[in-house]
């Protein structure tokens, strides 16, 4: 027995011969899922059961809300989230109070949808934490420049109202062009949000009567426009 630390390439302790199985373990002996797939004939039912087993009701409701693009009733959301309608309505009303969900009363009942401002801020916060934020901005700017050069137009709307007859491929480019412009606006907002957070977190040095400042060299500053 030596006093050397255990190697980082292996476990600290190995099983004894008595602890090892009599027969070698194969891939067929490993159960990757928490739910027994033999209980389901349909793969969708199996996936739903696995999702329900691995998540809470509130997590599933939030996941459904995040993916929604149009308002839905509590009953429809309950079906997708694999919860009771009562549970869905209670959770949705709470999320509405928190500003995450918007509700609207219609002739057929109350509908729920994600709050667009909350969803946008969530996207911006996520993008702001990306290590490749600057690279993404530069990539989108190059993509937009390529569209402008190809169609000799400053934006996709200008191309649409022009006298030019557009085929399907060109209409697809217009759609992608619009998406790229929207993505760039989100990325720029995320960059400014990150800069604002960094400035707000700057701490004044002890004994220094001046406010803490953050300096950035000209070479490091990103030209957003």
């Amino acid at each position: 027995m030596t006093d050397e630390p255990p190697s980082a390439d292996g476990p600290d302790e190995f099983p004894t011969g008595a602890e090892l199985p009599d027969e070698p373990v194969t891939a067929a002996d490993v159960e990757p899922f928490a739910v027994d797939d033999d209980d389901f004939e349909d793969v969708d039912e199996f996936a739903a059961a696995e999702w329900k087993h691995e998540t809470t009701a509130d997590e599933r409701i939030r996941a459904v809300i995040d993916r929604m693009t149009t308002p839905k009733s509590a009953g429809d959301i309950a079906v997708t989230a694999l919860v009771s309608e009562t549970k869905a309505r209670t959770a949705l009303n709470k999320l509405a109070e928190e500003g995450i969900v918007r509700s609207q009363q219609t002739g057929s009942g109350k509908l729920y949808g994600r709050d667009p401002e909350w969803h946008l801020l969530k996207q911006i916060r996520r993008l702001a934490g990306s290590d490749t934020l600057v690279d993404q901005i530069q990539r989108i700017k190059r993509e937009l420049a390529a569209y402008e050069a190809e169609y000799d137009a400053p934006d996709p709307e200008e191309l649409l109202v022009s006298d030019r007859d557009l085929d399907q491929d060109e209409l697809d480019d217009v759609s992608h062009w619009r998406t790229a412009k929207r993505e760039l606006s989100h990325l720029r907002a995320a960059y400014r949000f990150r800069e604002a957070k960094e400035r707000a977190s700057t701490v004044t040095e002890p004994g220094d009567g001046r406010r803490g400042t953050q300096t950035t060299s000209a070479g490091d500053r990103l030209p957003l426009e």
Side-chain angles (χ1 to χ4, degrees), residues 90-103 112 115:
T90 300
L92 290 166
N93 287 333
K94 185 174 184 297
L95 291 173
E97 293 175 359
E98 296 173 359
I100 297 174
V101 166
R102 282 187 181 180
S103 62
Y112 300 87
D115 183 279

Side-chain angles (χ1 to χ4, degrees), residues 124-166:
I124 289 174
R125 286 195 297 268
R126 178 181 58 80
L127 290 171
S130 172
D131 294 334
T132 62
L133 178 58
V134 173
D135 292 337
Q136 292 180 68
I137 292 175
Q138 299 296 357
R139 174 183 59 80
I140 293 294
K141 288 176 66 176
R142 289 193 296 270
E143 182 179 341
L144 291 174
Y147 281 128
E148 293 170 10
E150 180 177 354
Y151 292 104
D152 192 23
D155 56 60
E157 280 65 33
E158 186 72 21
L159 181 60
L160 282 174
V161 299
S162 68
D163 295 333
R164 178 172 179 168
D165 291 329
L166 303 177

Side-chain angles (χ1 to χ4, degrees), residues 18-79:
E19 294 172 328
L20 293 173
D22 295 332
E23 299 293 334
V25 178
T26 67
D29 298 319
V30 179
E31 292 290 345
F33 300 108
V35 177
D36 189 354
D37 58 352
D38 292 337
D39 295 337
F40 302 91
E41 296 181 359
D42 185 88
V43 65
D44 291 334
E45 291 182 3
F46 169 66
E50 182 74 10
W51 186 38
K52 187 173 182 179
H53 183 273
E54 296 294 331
T55 57
T56 66
D58 287 332
E59 287 172 342
R60 294 194 298 277
I61 292 170
R62 289 286 291 266
V64 172
I65 287 293
D66 283 345
R67 293 194 295 264
M68 283 172 50
T69 56
T70 58
K72 295 183 179 180
S73 69
D76 289 339
I77 294 172
V79 171

Side-chain angles (χ1 to χ4, degrees), residues 4-15:
E4 295 181 1
S7 170
D9 297 328
D12 294 344
E13 296 182 2
F14 292 90

